[in-house]
Amino acid sequence: MTLSIVNSNAADLTVVTWGGSYAKSQQEAYGKPFEEKTGKTIDWVNYNGGLADIRAQVKSGDVIWDVVDVFPSDARKGCADGLFEKLPENMFSSSDADGNFEDDLIVPRPNECVSPNIIWSWVTFYAKDRFKGEGPRTIADFFDIDRFPGKRGLSVFAQSNLEMALVADGVAPGDVYDVLSTEEGLDRAIGKLESLGDQIVFWSAGTEPLELVNSGQVAISTGYNGRVSEAILFQGAEYEIIWDGQVLEEEWFALVKGSTNRQEALEFLKISATPQAQAEQARWIPYGPMRRSALKIIRENEPWFHGGKTVLEHMPDREEVMDRTIIADPDWWTNNGAEASERYKAWMESR
């Protein structure tokens, strides 16, 4: 994704995000209510992620971005490094629907700098006509070559693969990082991956798993839930998603330190954090809202997805699948990711 900065001076607020249908969902769910309520305008800017551009702006004092969509690692490091503003206390209390705001979040805020955005996940999936009879239903089935023969698609990234491997090997989702923190646990995860033998095809870009499954190069693959669900909802793809053993990931909004549009940015964050706005984004893209009360809105108003389709079954954080879901631990990956990734890379290259 290339960086495309529009003339931020022409608008009252600049929101930096990832483009495509994802940006459209934010424009519809967050941007339109903001503009209707305030009469202010937004410039939407695409970027490649990371903190380099933000750091350069803050350091120079020439801050042209206001609100930025950030991954969990950048949400933590950016706040710790003073690149993001700490948000006012009780900022979200007026947007609460069901009790305490913090208790309404699927995953807790890691610091005072971030505001709720979306949740997505790593899942496994396959074409419905691939297997005769009942197809795979659990993450353990992904590793069962005998019952469900065919090659497996795996990403080149250690993250999610190690966690899924442990749950497939019998570890409870809530115990994954405790086990993975030991040398024996890391060996166990690599050993489970090794059990797939020569039946692995590696992928590195989000579209590749769908291509591998569609072409028949693999029988089943890991992938991003948004990509897979979009194909089902938009293109009518006949995929079966295995939610068992999925790895849930968080994504946040942050306010850049030194923003010249601070009040507008705070109003945008308040609106985007409301249950209604959180639910509205899921009307345009199959990512999960961070708020339980937003899931309740979706459930009570199906069919919710634009075009008259139901979408709750594509929400990775819905109640029905959470007991077998691994909630990713960004802090663990910050502290242990280098070693874990090196082990995974060495295993991958030894094949």
Side-chain angles (χ1 to χ4, degrees):
M1 191 181 296
T2 56
L3 180 67
S4 62
I5 301 179
V6 264
N7 181 10
S8 299
N9 293 325
D12 302 294
L13 181 70
T14 298
V15 178
V16 184
T17 186
W18 303 94
S21 56
Y22 178 57
K24 177 178 172 56
S25 72
Q26 294 177 323
Q27 292 163 17
E28 293 286 341
Y30 308 150
K32 283 186 177 180
F34 168 84
E35 291 179 336
E36 289 170 2
K37 180 178 180 180
T38 65
K40 307 285 187 177
T41 57
I42 300 174
D43 275 338
W44 295 87
V45 174
N46 298 347
Y47 84 138
N48 292 318
L51 297 173
D53 290 305
I54 299 168
R55 194 180 302 280
Q57 290 180 37
V58 173
K59 185 176 180 180
S60 69
D62 184 19
V63 176
I64 59 174
W65 292 351
D66 301 310
V67 174
V68 183
D69 184 319
V70 290
F71 286 146
S73 58
D74 292 334
R76 288 157 171 79
K77 185 165 179 55
C79 189
D81 290 355
L83 302 180
F84 301 139
E85 297 269 5
K86 288 190 176 181
L87 302 179
E89 290 185 19
N90 302 318
M91 172 177 161
F92 303 112
S93 59
S94 62
S95 67
D96 198 356
D98 292 338
N100 181 273
F101 169 77
E102 299 290 347
D103 291 342
D104 197 36
L105 296 177
I106 300 291
V107 293
R109 291 170 69 208
N111 53 55
E112 298 173 285
C113 298
V114 298
S115 177
N117 188 5
I118 57 98
I119 284 177
W120 59 276
S121 71
W122 303 78
V123 296
T124 49
F125 74 103
Y126 59 93
K128 287 185 176 180
D129 61 359
R130 174 71 194 211
F131 300 99
K132 293 181 180 179
E134 183 175 319
R137 289 291 179 268
T138 68
I139 190 61
D141 291 342
F142 179 88
F143 288 86
D144 195 335
I145 300 292
D146 294 331
R147 287 183 61 210
F148 305 105
K151 291 187 180 293
R152 268 49 175 172
L154 279 181
S155 79
V156 298
F157 314 110
Q159 192 166 356
S160 81
N161 288 330
L162 297 177
E163 292 98 321
M164 286 181 174
L166 285 180
V167 173
D169 202 45
V171 176
D175 296 336
V176 161
Y177 291 103
D178 288 338
V179 174
L180 207 51
S181 294
T182 67
E183 193 64 32
E184 296 79 10
L186 188 53
D187 288 342
R188 183 176 175 182
I190 295 295
K192 189 65 176 180
L193 293 167
E194 183 64 31
S195 72
L196 293 173
D198 61 359
Q199 298 297 296
I200 302 173
V201 177
F202 290 102
W203 60 266
S204 60
T207 58
E208 289 181 57
L210 282 70
E211 295 166 358
L212 291 171
V213 168
N214 291 344
S215 68
Q217 288 180 261
V218 303
I220 185 171
S221 181
T222 60
Y224 303 131
N225 90 283
R227 295 275 190 174
V228 181
S229 290
E230 272 192 296
I232 295 171
L233 292 166
F234 285 110
Q235 286 90 44
E238 294 289 324
Y239 296 140
E240 189 72 39
I241 300 175
I242 300 173
W243 299 98
D244 181 78
Q246 69 168 336
V247 180
L248 213 64
E249 299 276 3
E250 62 199 57
E251 197 151 337
W252 304 93
F253 282 126
L255 170 57
V256 179
K257 186 81 169 181
S259 162
T260 57
N261 300 305
R262 186 174 185 274
Q263 290 307 312
E264 290 82 1
L266 291 176
E267 186 62 32
F268 176 88
L269 295 178
K270 286 180 183 178
I271 290 172
S272 63
T274 62
Q276 187 63 40
Q278 290 264 303
E280 281 295 324
Q281 193 185 31
R283 191 189 293 278
W284 298 95
I285 197 167
Y287 291 139
M290 278 197 164
R291 301 194 61 168
R292 293 180 175 86
S293 50
L295 287 167
K296 181 180 178 183
I297 291 172
I298 296 169
R299 186 182 299 276
E300 293 176 351
N301 292 278
E302 290 275 39
W304 184 256
F305 202 67
H306 75 277
K309 298 178 181 178
T310 59
V311 75
L312 187 67
E313 65 264 31
H314 294 280
M315 297 291 97
D317 51 350
R318 66 192 187 279
E319 184 179 357
E320 293 87 339
V321 297
M322 287 300 290
D323 65 332
R324 289 289 295 169
T325 289
I326 307 154
I327 299 177
D329 186 340
D331 295 318
W332 188 92
W333 279 99
T334 295
N335 297 327
N336 304 279
E339 178 187 354
S341 296
E342 192 60 37
R343 277 292 308 276
Y344 183 82
K345 182 180 177 182
W347 165 75
M348 192 169 57
E349 291 178 347
S350 70
R351 306 186 50 74

